[in-house]
Amino acid sequence: MNQKVYNQLVSAIFLQKEGVLIFKEDFYNLGSEKAVGKGLERLVNHGLLSRVARGIYLLTKKDKELGDLMPSLDKIAHAIAEREKAIIVPSGVVAMNDLGLSNQIPMNAVYFTNA
């Protein structure tokens, strides 16, 4: 792996705040897709990043008592929608829970989108 690409990747990522979602595509300007992917993989293996989904990583926010804090499904969905320039609206149980009409916790979050 190209050490220069890795060092640039580390510098760019750790300028971000803890708890922010990071997309692999955001770093293609630093090097090839393969080099960026390898760099992110190394950061995950060292415990500095968490892999949320394919191509989506989290600059892990750590709590002394709770350990690593993961983002909510809603935060992940909105981050993906922002990246794709899409509008999302929760449906079903998610919408009812958000509006306070139900105290049922949804197992699967479903969103309507225009994209």
Side-chain angles (χ1 to χ4, degrees), residues 83-104:
R83 180 188 69 175
E84 299 293 327
K85 296 178 179 55
I87 298 170
I88 61 171
V89 178
S91 68
V93 179
V94 177
M96 289 177 54
N97 184 275
D98 287 349
L99 293 171
L101 300 174
S102 170
N103 60 1
Q104 182 178 358

Side-chain angles (χ1 to χ4, degrees), residues 21-22 44 50-59 70-71 76:
L21 289 169
I22 297 167
V44 169
S50 297
R51 185 171 182 252
V52 176
R54 177 181 249 169
I56 304 173
Y57 299 86
L58 173 71
L59 183 55
M70 298 300 285
I76 295 169

Side-chain angles (χ1 to χ4, degrees), residues 31-103:
S32 69
E33 180 179 349
K34 187 175 182 179
V36 170
K38 251 329 196 194
L40 291 169
E41 182 182 332
R42 281 178 62 186
L43 291 170
V44 169
N45 290 340
H46 290 296
L48 301 172
L49 287 180
S50 297
R51 185 171 182 252
V52 176
R54 177 181 249 169
I56 304 173
Y57 299 86
L58 173 71
L59 183 55
T60 310
K61 187 173 189 177
K62 298 185 187 290
D63 184 78
K64 291 178 185 176
E65 296 174 6
L66 300 174
D68 293 348
L69 301 176
M70 298 300 285
S72 67
L73 287 175
D74 195 51
K75 183 176 179 182
I76 295 169
H78 280 88
I80 293 170
E82 184 179 320
R83 180 188 69 175
E84 299 293 327
K85 296 178 179 55
I87 298 170
I88 61 171
V89 178
S91 68
V93 179
V94 177
M96 289 177 54
N97 184 275
D98 287 349
L99 293 171
L101 300 174
S102 170
N103 60 1

